[in-house]
Amino acid sequence: MKVAIVQHDIVWAQPTENLRHLSQLLDQQSEVDLYVLAETFTTGFMAKGNENIDTSHGLTWLQQQAKEKDAAFAASIATRDADGCLRNRLFFVRPDGTYDYYDKRHLFSYAGETDAYADGQRRVIVKWRGVRFLLQICYDLRFPVFSRNRQDYDAVIYVANWPTSRIEVWQTLLKARALENQCYAIGVNRIGEDPACTYCGASAIMDAYGKTLARCNDHEEGIAIGDLNMEQLLRFRNKFPVLQDADDFTLKNQ
């Protein structure tokens, strides 16, 4: 499976402009099974202030892109749920328009995300073209128990707005998640700046050995492609059965 990590800038609180720009960027790439964009890709990470911004057409755009490119798309959008609660929601959209979604569980209290958003409770795994993906968002990367592989997924996706000041944490933990879970780790981070932070990207795909399969250049927009080789992954897991020896545990609220 070919996965494209799309490292892009985000214009603060301007959904229409961001969708226009990404449409142009994505026109440069084809023959991919899955595209992964950054966290809150239509607005930037707004811990507060999303209340009056219409982001509803972001999902429609993802569905259109998925249909045109015959590929799945994964990206998060600040979204109102049926009860009116604001969610940081990661959509996984298929070419036929159907989708699954994951609501960010670990809200970033340091920036006030807990004041405006409701946290998610579901651990979500989706299957696409023979690969099982665990869906995660940014701050979730710091909490390994929630993403622990129960032999139920093959790759984990992290979409993020992770600032340059903490980029070594991003790089270290992304590699750690791949190693400890014997999986592919797909991390997509934005570049540019918003009113609070600057971002350098460091988007990458890691394999189960901790090796980098694909990486975008720091501070540059671009698309990098990694090939997820399931036969190779299964051979490694069978030869070195780390997951079979893992501790058993149960998470509350699942």
Side-chain angles (χ1 to χ4, degrees):
M1 171 180 284
K2 291 185 178 180
V3 176
I5 50 175
V6 184
Q7 183 169 283
H8 56 95
D9 198 353
I10 303 174
V11 181
W12 182 251
Q14 296 295 325
T16 300
E17 175 59 22
N18 288 315
L19 297 183
R20 182 200 64 78
H21 175 65
L22 278 169
S23 294
Q24 294 179 340
L25 183 62
L26 291 170
D27 282 344
Q28 304 171 23
Q29 186 58 55
S30 60
E31 297 184 358
V32 170
D33 297 293
L34 170 64
Y35 291 84
V36 184
L37 311 181
E39 177 187 19
T40 52
F41 79 103
T42 63
T43 58
F45 179 69
M46 304 178 70
K48 301 177 182 178
N50 263 312
E51 294 82 358
N52 299 317
I53 298 176
D54 181 11
T55 61
S56 59
H57 48 308
L59 175 58
T60 301
W61 181 87
L62 289 172
Q63 291 170 316
Q64 292 171 342
Q65 289 291 321
K67 181 179 180 180
E68 291 175 7
K69 292 179 167 47
D70 188 31
F73 272 72
S76 97
I77 304 171
T79 304
R80 291 283 180 188
D81 65 17
D83 297 322
C85 295
L86 192 60
R87 305 278 187 174
N88 189 338
R89 180 164 289 178
L90 172 53
F91 290 96
F92 191 98
V93 181
R94 304 174 187 84
D96 63 1
T98 62
Y99 61 87
D100 291 296
Y101 66 85
Y102 159 72
D103 291 334
K104 187 176 182 181
R105 178 181 176 96
H106 299 97
L107 301 178
F108 194 38
S109 58
Y110 180 79
E113 191 177 19
T114 47
D115 297 332
Y117 290 76
D119 62 323
Q121 300 297 324
R122 297 186 306 128
R123 183 174 181 270
V124 179
I125 295 170
V126 299
K127 188 172 183 179
W128 174 241
R129 292 180 178 171
V131 180
R132 300 168 300 172
F133 294 91
L134 175 69
L135 306 183
Q136 302 274 273
I137 301 175
C138 201
Y139 195 41
D140 287 328
L141 182 61
R142 286 184 177 267
F143 302 92
V145 174
F146 188 59
S147 63
R148 187 57 51 83
N149 197 341
R150 306 173 189 174
Q151 302 188 64
D152 57 357
Y153 71 83
D154 309 303
V156 56
I157 295 173
Y158 291 96
V159 300
N161 279 206
W162 199 287
T164 303
S165 60
R166 296 187 288 275
I167 202 62
E168 289 188 8
V169 177
W170 162 263
Q171 294 170 319
T172 300
L173 294 183
L174 189 65
K175 185 174 183 178
R177 298 295 88 83
L179 290 169
E180 69 192 9
N181 294 301
Q182 277 193 316
C183 71
Y184 292 100
I186 303 163
V188 176
N189 188 32
R190 66 163 294 183
I191 64 167
E193 60 182 46
D194 62 24
C197 298
T198 60
Y199 306 88
C200 67
S203 303
I205 301 175
M206 313 293 296
D207 70 10
Y209 297 91
K211 297 178 180 178
T212 302
L213 296 182
R215 193 181 192 282
C216 296
N217 295 329
D218 290 352
H219 300 286
E220 295 181 10
E221 285 194 321
I223 300 174
I225 299 174
D227 190 2
L228 309 191
N229 187 323
M230 287 301 301
E231 290 184 4
Q232 183 183 71
L233 177 63
L234 293 176
R235 283 198 304 269
F236 178 43
R237 287 177 172 177
N238 289 332
K239 180 180 179 179
F240 190 55
V242 173
L243 300 179
Q244 295 180 24
D245 300 328
D247 299 306
D248 191 21
F249 65 93
T250 301
L251 288 175
K252 295 188 296 183
N253 301 323
Q254 276 195 246

